[in-house]
Amino acid sequence: MKSYDCLICLFSYNRYPHLKMTLNHLMRDLPGSGCAIALFDDGSDDERVVKLLDDTVIGCSDIFGWNKSREVSKPKSTREAAGRIGEQRRLAVNMFLESSSYDYLFLMDDDVIVSCETIREAIDDFEFLRSTDYLNPGAITLHNQLNVDAYINVDGKIFSSIHLTGEAHILFHREPLEKVGNQFNSGKGGFADTQLNALMGSGYDYLERTKPYYAVQHVGFGLLGSVVHEHQDKVPMWNEGPYRSNWKHGRGRPLEVPGFDLKKYCMCVQRFGGREAPLYYMGEKHV
Amino acid sequence: MHIGLVREAGGFGDIISVGGAARALKLEDPGIKITFFAPEEFVDVASHLKHIDEVVSIGPLSIVSKQRRSRDIPIPEANAEYLRVLDDYDCDKFVDLFCPAFLYEATERGTLRYTRSQLFAMAAGARSIQHAFPEWKVEDVEMVRAAEFMRDLDFLKTTIGVSFRTTCSTRTYPEKYAVEVLSRLVSLGFNVVYFEGASLHFVLPEGVLLCRHQSFSTFAAAVNMCNFVLTADTALLHLGQALKKPVLVIYGNKDGDPFREWCDDIYTVDGHSDKCKRPCNYSAMKGWDKTKCRPSGCPRMFSNTPGRVMEATIVALKKEGWASEIL
C-alpha cells in the first residue's frame, strides 16, 4: 500500500452541491501531495451524492474508497445530527489508528474549501511546533478566531491556544491520538469536545493559527446551507456568512482562498440560497 | 543562515531581552549570523549583547515612531522609510520583534509562562527556549570607569544595586516605601548603589551612592560590580540577569511568575496574594468587573510594604551567600 503522510477524512450528507465544490478544490493538487482521501457518507438519500462518490473513487488513485453508513433516516434535530457527526468521526479515527500508513489525520466536512497545499502548510507548522520545547501540539484547527485564550508568536506566525470547537477542519498527529485513544462518539459533545478535552487533559495544546490565516473557507452558510442547522429557527452567527478575519465581532475581511472566487460565491448565495449556490457557482445550473 | 532581528522600539529591557533570542538561536546553530536592527539610541546597548554579530541603526526613535507602520504588513513588504536599510542586508529572514509578550500577556486567564527573552526567541524561530537568556559583555575600560565611580565603597561589604523607577507608574515602587527600604539596607551595613536613568523621584537617604548621568555601558559595568540587585520591573532587572547577578524584583502583579519558573537566581516579591480593597478586573470580552481582582494579579504596588520587601531581600541574600552583614 502506498505510504501517505496525511489521511484526509471527508464527511458528507445530502449536500451534493457543496460536496462537489469541496472535492473539486481538494483534488486540484491532490496528486503528489502526500495526502490520501477517505470519504464517509452518512447514508445520503440523494442519488447524485452516491454517484459523485462512486465516480470520484473510480477516477482517482489517491482516493482509496468510501464508506456509506447504514441506511438511516434524516436527522430530526441538531442534537441528533451532531451525534451522527460524532459517530462518523469515530469510524474515521478508528480507520486511521488501525492503519500505520499515515502520520496525520485531517477531518473535514463537505462544505470546506481547502487545498492539499494548505493542509501541507499546516502539517509543516505542526512538525515545527512538535520540535519545540515550549508547545506540545495535539491538534491544530485550520479555522481562525475561535475561543482565543492566549496568543504566542512562533517563527513570525501567531498561534493561540483555544478551548473547544466542533469545527471540522482539525489536523491531528498520530502520536497524541494513540496516547489518548479515540474519544469521538455519538453522545453529547462526542463530535469533538470529548476528543479535544482528552488531548488537553493529557497535556497537549489545541491550537489555531491566527496570523497569517490558513486559506480555508466554508461554503455551507446562508439559508439552508447547513444540514445540521436546518431545524433551527435561526442559523448560528458562525453560519451566517463566510469566515472572516475577525468574525467574532462581525468585522474583518472575508478570508480569501486562492482559486476560489468568494465574492462570486456570496452573490450566488444571496441570489439562489445556500443550498443550490455551489451549482450556480460551478456553472452546473444557469439562471 | 543569516537572520535579521528587528526591534523598532525601546526600552532598554526589551533591547537587552533580544540578546536572549540571539543566544537561543546560536545554541541551536552556532554557524548562524545574527544582525540586530535597532533604533539609533539603542545601538550602543545592543552592541554589548553577546551572540549578536552586528548591530545596525534604523534611525532615531523619533523618526521610527512617527512612521509607525501597520503590523499586518510583514517587514520585507513594509514600505516604511526607515526600513530601507534592510535592503542592504542579505538576510535569509527578518524577524519582527514587536511585543509578542504583549499579545501573550493579554489573556483573560492571566497565565504567564515565559520571559520576554523566551518569547523573543520563539518569535525568532528558536526551537528551544531553555537557555534563551541574554548575556552582556563588559569592556575593561568600562570596568575601570565604574571602579573609579565606586571607589569610596568598602568592597569587603556586600554591594546592592537598586532601582525603583520604571517607565510606567504602576510598576514604579512608591517613593515613601523606597526611602524606607534604602534606609534599612544602609543601616544593616550594606553598600547601596541607586541607579537612576532620569531625575530622582525622592530624596536619597544618607549613605546611598547615586549612579546617574553615566553612559549605559558604565551603568552596566557598575551593576557588574554589585553582588546583588534589588529592582522594580525595569532595565536593571534585565541587565542584572544578563550579567548573571542574583536579582530580586518587586512586582505589583504576577509578571514575575516566568522568572520564578525559569531562573534560579531571580527572586520575586509581588502583591497578588493580598486582597485588594478596590478590585478591578478587565476583560476584553466582558469589560470592567469591579467585584473581583484581575487573574493576572493586582497591578498596584502598595501591598509590597517595605517589611515584605526587606524580608524577601534578606531571604534571597542569605540564599545567595551575600548576607554576612546580618548574620
Side-chain angles (χ1 to χ4, degrees):
Chain A
M1 191 177 186
K2 186 178 172 185
S3 177
Y4 293 91
D5 287 329
C6 181
L7 177 66
I8 301 169
C9 289
L10 198 161
F11 306 98
S12 80
Y13 178 72
N14 269 357
R15 275 198 293 191
Y16 166 76
H18 299 81
L19 176 63
K20 180 151 191 200
M21 200 158 72
T22 294
L23 268 174
N24 278 355
H25 199 87
L26 191 61
M27 289 173 65
R28 291 195 327 181
D29 59 351
L30 182 64
S33 67
C35 299
I37 299 177
L39 299 159
F40 292 78
D41 181 70
D42 192 16
S44 294
D45 46 23
D46 183 343
E47 282 306 313
R48 293 177 302 172
V49 172
V50 179
K51 187 170 183 314
L52 171 66
L53 294 180
D54 273 341
D55 291 350
T56 307
V57 172
I58 290 165
C60 181
S61 60
D62 296 316
I63 301 181
F64 55 82
W66 69 276
N67 163 68
K68 184 181 183 202
S69 68
R70 61 196 162 81
E71 293 297 331
V72 284
S73 59
K74 201 173 176 181
K76 292 181 181 59
S77 65
T78 306
R79 175 86 179 269
E80 190 193 336
R84 298 242 304 250
I85 294 169
E87 178 60 16
Q88 291 297 303
R89 290 182 187 174
R90 189 183 68 77
L91 294 173
V93 172
N94 273 349
M95 180 182 162
F96 170 77
L97 291 175
E98 280 163 16
S99 160
S100 57
S101 305
Y102 320 99
D103 300 316
Y104 284 92
L105 170 69
F106 183 63
L107 303 183
M108 65 181 286
D109 280 349
D110 54 359
D111 64 344
V112 177
I113 300 296
V114 62
S115 65
C116 290
E117 190 188 344
T118 302
I119 296 170
R120 296 282 347 161
E121 190 186 335
I123 289 173
D124 289 346
D125 284 340
F126 212 126
E127 283 295 316
F128 184 86
L129 297 176
R130 268 167 52 80
S131 71
T132 68
D133 61 5
Y134 44 88
L135 281 174
N136 187 22
I140 293 181
T141 174
L142 272 64
H143 194 183
N144 68 302
Q145 297 277 333
L146 294 166
N147 298 318
V148 174
D149 174 23
Y151 298 90
I152 200 157
N153 182 345
V154 180
D155 201 18
K157 299 166 188 166
I158 306 287
F159 289 88
S160 48
S161 61
I162 50 178
H163 305 304
L164 302 174
T165 169
E167 292 296 337
H169 348 75
I170 308 179
L171 184 67
F172 294 94
H173 186 263
R174 171 174 293 280
E175 189 188 296
L177 269 184
E178 280 180 345
K179 189 173 172 189
V180 305
N182 185 357
Q183 305 293 334
F184 285 101
N185 58 66
S186 57
K188 190 183 176 189
F191 62 95
D193 291 1
T194 48
Q195 187 68 54
L196 296 169
N197 261 330
L199 283 172
M200 289 187 279
S202 300
Y204 290 101
D205 297 307
Y206 178 37
L207 300 163
E208 65 177 339
R209 194 178 88 182
T210 49
K211 201 173 179 181
Y213 301 125
Y214 290 117
V216 174
Q217 188 54 269
H218 84 137
V219 288
F221 59 81
L223 188 65
L224 299 180
S226 161
V227 177
V228 175
H229 300 109
E230 68 182 22
H231 305 283
Q232 295 177 333
D233 299 334
K234 190 176 181 297
V235 289
M237 179 176 65
W238 59 86
N239 235 34
E240 282 174 356
Y243 289 163
R244 305 179 82 86
S245 57
N246 193 358
W247 68 269
K248 242 183 189 176
H249 301 98
R251 297 195 303 263
R253 289 171 289 109
L255 301 188
E256 296 291 342
V257 175
F260 179 69
D261 188 346
L262 182 64
K263 203 172 170 186
K264 180 182 164 190
Y265 181 74
C266 287
M267 284 169 68
C268 293
V269 174
Q270 264 184 351
R271 206 161 161 201
F272 309 110
R275 183 171 283 170
E276 298 292 305
L279 296 180
Y280 288 96
Y281 174 85
M282 291 183 291
E284 272 196 27
K285 263 191 176 182
H286 301 279
V287 182
Chain B
M1 179 84 166
H2 186 183
I3 296 185
L5 302 177
V6 185
R7 172 75 196 182
E8 296 165 71
F12 289 111
D14 289 321
I15 298 293
I16 294 168
S17 296
V18 173
R23 184 171 188 235
L25 292 168
K26 286 263 176 164
L27 285 173
E28 280 176 27
D29 179 5
I32 210 167
K33 183 183 177 189
I34 297 175
T35 302
F36 183 13
F37 298 87
E40 199 173 288
E41 289 85 340
F42 298 110
V43 168
D44 181 48
V45 174
S47 306
H48 283 77
L49 293 170
K50 286 185 188 173
H51 312 291
I52 287 175
D53 300 298
E54 184 181 19
V55 182
V56 176
S57 167
I58 54 170
L61 204 51
S62 55
I63 305 275
V64 173
S65 54
K66 260 185 199 166
Q67 297 179 9
R68 195 167 287 273
R69 61 194 176 80
S70 163
R71 291 289 169 207
D72 290 334
I73 305 167
I75 276 203
E77 285 108 58
N79 59 357
E81 187 75 24
Y82 61 88
L83 289 177
R84 292 258 170 92
V85 67
L86 271 58
D87 296 340
D88 300 335
Y89 291 84
D90 190 21
C91 292
D92 295 294
K93 68 172 177 180
F94 291 101
V95 180
D96 184 4
L97 294 179
F98 67 98
C99 273
F102 170 75
L103 287 171
Y104 190 70
E105 284 159 10
T107 70
E108 288 183 42
R109 287 187 187 176
T111 43
L112 279 173
R113 283 155 61 187
Y114 305 109
T115 65
R116 178 73 51 112
S117 278
Q118 290 175 313
L119 290 163
F120 279 156
M122 293 174 192
R127 286 179 160 85
S128 173
I129 48 144
Q130 300 278 342
H131 305 290
F133 298 107
E135 289 182 302
W136 186 272
K137 294 179 281 195
V138 182
E139 307 287 343
D140 291 345
V141 63
E142 293 158 2
M143 283 302 288
V144 171
R145 254 185 257 140
E148 171 66 15
F149 167 72
M150 295 166 81
R151 65 183 179 276
D152 293 337
L153 296 180
D154 176 1
F155 277 97
L156 292 175
K157 289 181 177 179
T158 297
T159 303
I160 302 178
V162 185
S163 181
F164 289 140
R165 164 82 80 105
T166 72
T167 50
C168 149
S169 60
T170 54
R171 287 185 290 140
T172 297
Y173 194 52
E175 56 186 270
K176 278 184 188 169
Y177 287 1
V179 172
E180 196 175 332
V181 169
L182 290 169
S183 303
R184 286 205 210 174
L185 288 173
V186 172
S187 66
L188 285 170
F190 294 110
N191 291 328
V192 180
V193 184
Y194 190 79
F195 293 89
E196 175 60 66
S199 56
L200 207 58
H201 67 304
F202 54 84
V203 179
L204 275 185
E206 204 171 319
V208 177
L209 180 64
L210 176 63
C211 182
R212 195 167 56 142
H213 302 312
Q214 304 284 345
S215 68
F216 197 85
S217 50
T218 309
F219 187 97
V223 175
N224 195 38
M225 293 180 75
C226 295
N227 308 112
F228 186 84
V229 170
L230 169 62
T231 180
D233 179 13
T234 186
L236 197 61
L237 155 64
H238 303 283
L239 197 52
Q241 184 192 24
L243 289 163
K244 297 189 168 53
K245 299 289 168 190
V247 182
L248 174 71
V249 201
I250 309 169
Y251 285 104
N253 54 21
K254 292 185 192 171
D255 282 2
D257 285 359
F259 284 109
R260 238 189 330 248
E261 184 173 336
W262 295 95
C263 311
D264 292 338
D265 52 358
I266 295 192
Y267 304 86
T268 62
V269 54
D270 55 45
H272 73 268
S273 55
D274 283 5
K275 201 171 180 183
C276 182
K277 288 175 188 164
R278 289 177 293 156
C280 56
N281 183 342
Y282 182 74
S283 153
M285 301 290 286
K286 297 169 191 162
W288 287 98
D289 181 350
K290 302 270 184 182
T291 61
K292 58 183 179 184
C293 284
R294 299 171 194 220
S296 58
C298 183
R300 299 187 183 109
M301 273 285 192
F302 63 79
S303 57
N304 292 316
T305 58
R308 288 189 67 193
V309 172
M310 283 306 296
E311 194 183 322
T313 306
I314 287 164
V315 168
L317 282 166
K318 281 182 178 169
K319 201 170 167 193
E320 294 292 331
W322 293 111
S324 55
E325 282 79 356
I326 46 175
L327 288 177

